[in-house]
Amino acid sequence: LSLFFSPLSPSLSLMYFFSYLHYFLFLLFSFCFPLTTSTLFPSLPLFLLLRSPLSLSPFPRLSISELRTFTTVQLDMSLGCPTASEEGCAPWDRTVQLFVCCELQSELCNYELGRWISPFRRGIGRWLTDVTPLIPLLSSTTGQCNFTMKTDSWAKPWNPSLNLRLEGSTTSEAVQAPTRDRHGQVVAPVSLQPLYKGATFDQNYNTHFHQINFSVPAAVTHVEVVSVITGHGSDQHNCAEFCVTKHVFTVNGENHTRVFTNAGTPFGCAMKTPLGVVPNEHGTWLYGRDGWCDGQQVDPWRIDITDQLNTKGTNSILYQGYFRDGAPDPGKMTPGEITMFSQLVFYAPL
């Protein structure tokens, strides 16, 4: 009962109760489907994995044509406490990232595959992240892939557990509907092209990003911009954790915009327990953040840009980020950071 009771008000206690109800319904419906799984991380302290990346060898030696047989790839991730009591859980919310390298000489080596934000001292978190667009990162000709999970070295340890969930069904009974192109054909990712990474969120933020020209490979019928963007830190405007930021990808002159309006709202993350936010955490877990919440996965932002492209010629893309509608203005305080991985993903029919 202490999980639900708030000495502040009965209405807050009721909100906590429904937060737990929503969260456990989320767990029930997310993880009740049997899929092909591959265990990547056993339950080991996360600070040990910082110094000892996990190498899976032999990893399934999968070419991109074999990987295309999977229409859905998900990360099944959980964080447990190193002690039986939650008092032993890490007290701070920190970014947790999963990197993968399947080809040492590739520019995609040590590329981000998943991102989560740890909860405030709660050991019940379990999340499902759809990373289907990033299938090309798992193409291995050597039979070995290195998976490295990272967080801040000073933070107290978590015990992570991570499974890779694979689905190959293209039928209506599939757990998740497969991606289809504009002709209705089921398509799968065949390659990706890295675009932009994040930077310090100050007056010079947008000087880090320049227009990139690209062409569409043969046989490709569907193209997406896929990004994971989160804001962190605190300046005079509470940027970039609690301030509203705007992110724009311009493709051949057409803008695709995402604004994190949830940032700084009083119950912005508390209202997202049906989407996987761990309920009733310690600290300021209730407040909305810039593209993330404590105790939740960070889902990729997927933009279908197929209709804007010239499939026979050269295309252009440019990213820009803003504080509200203008340049970031940290003043004399230490500026925040935007953590971002973005890429073009090219799909072809199965």
Side-chain angles (χ1 to χ4, degrees):
L1 290 176
S2 63
L3 294 175
F4 309 132
F5 175 72
S6 169
L8 300 178
S9 70
S11 61
L12 198 57
S13 297
L14 188 63
M15 186 193 74
Y16 283 166
F17 171 78
F18 280 107
S19 293
Y20 271 102
L21 177 62
H22 288 153
Y23 179 69
F24 286 116
L25 286 174
F26 158 80
L27 292 180
L28 174 65
F29 288 106
S30 294
F31 299 100
C32 64
F33 300 100
L35 297 175
T36 301
T37 62
S38 177
T39 300
L40 299 185
F41 285 103
S43 184
L44 294 174
L46 185 49
F47 71 90
L48 293 179
L49 297 174
L50 282 167
R51 295 192 285 268
S52 180
L54 183 69
S55 174
L56 293 188
S57 179
F59 185 75
R61 188 173 299 177
L62 299 174
S63 65
I64 191 63
S65 60
E66 292 171 311
L67 281 168
R68 285 174 58 197
T69 63
F70 298 111
T71 57
T72 302
V73 176
Q74 297 171 318
L75 300 176
D76 176 359
M77 159 72 160
S78 62
L79 288 177
C81 302
T83 63
S85 167
E86 287 191 331
E87 288 301 312
C89 293
W92 300 108
D93 53 339
R94 309 309 306 166
T95 302
V96 178
Q97 293 172 281
L98 176 68
F99 298 90
V100 62
C101 179
C102 293
E103 299 289 349
L104 288 175
Q105 305 305 317
S106 170
E107 65 177 337
L108 302 178
C109 179
N110 292 323
Y111 209 77
E112 185 185 77
L113 184 60
R115 190 184 308 173
W116 304 262
I117 309 297
S118 65
F120 284 101
R121 190 166 277 168
R122 282 286 182 255
I124 61 172
R126 187 179 179 186
W127 309 277
L128 204 59
T129 312
D130 179 16
V131 294
T132 303
L134 303 182
I135 283 177
L137 295 179
L138 303 176
S139 179
S140 171
T141 59
T142 63
Q144 177 170 312
C145 285
N146 291 328
F147 293 85
T148 307
M149 190 173 285
K150 295 183 178 181
T151 190
D152 294 302
S153 58
W154 58 264
K156 284 188 175 181
W158 289 95
N159 285 8
S161 177
L162 180 65
N163 291 322
L164 196 65
R165 295 161 61 96
L166 310 171
E167 183 184 11
S169 175
T170 60
T171 68
S172 59
E173 289 78 23
V175 174
Q176 182 164 309
T179 302
R180 296 181 183 272
D181 63 16
R182 54 189 169 184
H183 306 296
Q185 301 178 98
V186 175
V187 293
V190 292
S191 64
L192 62 82
Q193 177 179 333
L195 292 175
Y196 306 100
K197 294 184 180 180
T200 301
F201 199 58
D202 58 15
Q203 296 92 331
N204 299 315
Y205 179 71
N206 284 324
T207 65
H208 296 278
F209 313 111
H210 305 283
Q211 178 176 296
I212 295 175
N213 297 323
F214 66 96
S215 57
V216 179
V220 166
T221 61
H222 182 81
V223 183
E224 294 180 350
V225 176
V226 179
S227 61
V228 176
I229 306 172
T230 53
H232 307 271
S234 181
D235 62 14
Q236 66 174 350
H237 299 292
N238 292 321
C239 285
E241 180 174 350
F242 290 111
C243 73
V244 175
T245 64
K246 180 167 73 173
H247 305 271
V248 183
F249 287 94
T250 303
V251 180
N252 289 344
E254 183 166 336
N255 291 340
H256 300 271
T257 303
R258 188 174 191 183
V259 182
F260 292 131
T261 56
N262 197 48
T265 55
F267 297 102
C269 287
M271 300 305 292
K272 291 192 174 184
T273 52
L275 302 177
V277 172
V278 174
N280 198 12
E281 302 170 38
H282 292 255
T284 58
W285 75 279
L286 303 94
Y287 305 154
R289 262 74 172 189
D290 196 55
W292 57 275
C293 284
D294 300 298
Q296 192 186 30
Q297 79 285 353
V298 183
D299 291 315
W301 175 26
R302 299 174 60 176
I303 310 168
D304 180 0
I305 61 170
T306 310
D307 289 340
Q308 287 106 63
L309 299 184
N310 177 358
T311 58
K312 304 298 183 182
T314 301
N315 303 275
S316 66
I317 186 169
L318 174 66
Y319 162 81
Q320 299 280 269
Y322 304 94
F323 165 53
R324 297 174 181 159
D325 288 314
D329 179 23
K332 296 182 180 180
M333 298 182 66
T334 301
E337 293 279 339
I338 297 295
T339 303
M340 172 173 63
F341 276 79
S342 61
Q343 48 276 319
L344 289 165
V345 181
F346 301 100
Y347 295 73
L350 292 174

